[in-house]
Amino acid sequence: MAERILDVKNLQAGYGSVQILHGIDIYVEKGEFVTIIGPNGCGKSTFIKAIFGLCTFYNGDVEHNGEDVAGWRTDQLVRRGISYVPQVDNVFPSLTVAENLQMGGNRLSARVLNERIDDSLEMFPDLISRMHDLAASLSGGQRQMLAISRALISKPKFLLLDEPTAALSPLFQQQIIDRIDALRQSGITVLIVEQNARLSLSRSDRGYVFASGKVVHTGKAADILEDPEIGEYFLGGTGE
Ligand SMILES: Nc1ncnc2c1ncn2[C@@H]1O[C@H](COP(=O)(O)OP(=O)(O)O)[C@@H](O)[C@H]1O
Ligand SMILES: [Mg+2]
């Protein structure tokens, strides 16, 4: 059996006393690209946040590379090689592009930080000419590129992305998914929540469908894409 980078069983989590996730089972194998889809408000962002130590953990098993990390703090998870790109507010608009990238590695020495920034810009060269501009001046697509670049500064092995193509033009959606796919080709395991489900599933190995804080369906991405019932509800009809 392939090694699991993430193995979640019966995860129950929420915000304070408000329970949102009611027993989630999900696994991700090393090297996989896995997409979570589901209607607004069903707990997709909450799940990603729960994995990254940003929610209230109640119960369940969360293993990362076979190690029990349930309830761990975010900084501990980052040190284990997990990184996260939030759905909103994922760049500091009043800082420059360079400063945003530096924030991704504020514990690193200047030399290592600069190397990491150079590495991450290799994946997103569009940002090179914008390094001294404020993040506020970037287009939506460039902001997402910056947010992902920043998440790469910690050299993650496992990248969690929350709706990285939301509110982007189809051209930028495609570009962002292409770059994420390239990251996966480079050896980073990818778990993504996507509104543009068809596009993301087309690059995924497997998918999960959430509803009301539970997993209601899972399978190979190709099968989910062809499932008429799921297509009708989540994929925008039968596609082009
Ligand atoms: N910080 C929060 N405190 C309390 N409830 C929240 C918070 N964030 C989200 N929720 C609630 O959790 C539920 C799931 O939200 P979310 O995980 O963002 O859904 P999705 O990402 O699938 O659209 C929603 O009912 C939402 O109102
Ligand atoms: Mg969300």
Side-chain angles (χ1 to χ4, degrees):
M1 192 176 76
E3 263 180 278
R4 292 183 176 184
I5 199 162
L6 181 71
D7 201 354
V8 175
K9 292 191 188 102
N10 189 32
L11 176 63
Q12 303 187 37
Y15 303 95
S17 61
V18 183
Q19 184 165 356
I20 305 291
L21 303 178
H22 301 276
I24 299 273
D25 291 352
I26 280 191
Y27 69 89
V28 180
E29 290 176 355
K30 267 188 194 160
E32 273 194 312
F33 187 137
V34 172
T35 297
I36 298 172
I37 64 174
N40 265 339
C42 69
K44 303 181 300 296
S45 294
T46 303
F47 175 74
I48 297 279
K49 286 190 245 176
I51 296 306
F52 203 59
L54 299 172
C55 283
T56 314
F57 169 82
Y58 307 139
N59 213 332
D61 299 327
V62 183
E63 286 189 4
H64 173 254
N65 286 328
E67 181 177 32
D68 176 7
V69 297
W72 279 31
R73 290 196 318 266
T74 300
D75 60 305
Q76 299 173 308
L77 297 164
V78 170
R79 259 178 261 133
R80 286 288 191 277
I82 307 179
S83 197
Y84 162 68
V85 182
Q87 181 173 356
V88 291
D89 300 331
N90 56 18
V91 301
F92 298 99
S94 60
L95 299 183
T96 64
V97 169
E99 287 164 345
N100 267 278
L101 291 171
Q102 287 157 5
M103 299 285 287
N106 50 15
R107 278 194 309 263
L108 301 171
S109 71
R111 186 183 57 80
V112 173
L113 178 58
N114 285 327
E115 280 172 14
R116 298 275 179 97
I117 290 175
D118 287 347
D119 287 351
S120 112
L121 288 174
E122 245 171 67
M123 196 53 86
F124 296 98
D126 325 49
L127 295 175
I128 294 173
S129 65
R130 308 296 307 269
M131 287 294 272
H132 302 293
D133 296 335
L134 294 183
S137 73
L138 299 179
S139 71
Q142 290 168 334
R143 275 193 199 206
Q144 284 301 336
M145 290 182 187
L146 175 57
I148 298 170
S149 306
R150 196 181 59 205
L152 296 177
I153 301 289
S154 62
K155 278 240 180 287
K157 296 270 191 295
F158 186 27
L159 188 56
L160 311 171
L161 297 136
D162 195 347
E163 301 210 12
T165 76
L168 299 185
S169 68
L171 182 66
F172 266 125
Q173 290 174 11
Q174 186 74 53
Q175 272 191 25
I176 294 283
I177 293 290
D178 284 347
R179 305 292 171 88
I180 294 168
D181 198 26
L183 292 172
R184 188 272 279 273
Q185 306 292 338
S186 79
I188 298 176
T189 305
V190 173
L191 178 62
I192 179 169
V193 166
E194 254 306 331
Q195 200 182 48
N196 300 301
R198 192 174 289 281
L199 180 60
S200 184
L201 284 169
S202 71
R203 304 303 179 84
S204 296
D205 300 296
R206 291 183 304 110
Y208 288 86
V209 183
F210 277 26
S212 305
K214 290 184 175 156
V215 173
V216 292
H217 186 80
T218 180
K220 286 188 185 158
D223 294 339
I224 293 176
L225 280 167
E226 281 171 15
D227 188 313
E229 213 168 305
I230 294 172
E232 189 171 332
Y233 284 110
F234 300 114
L235 304 177
T238 52
E240 51 277 67

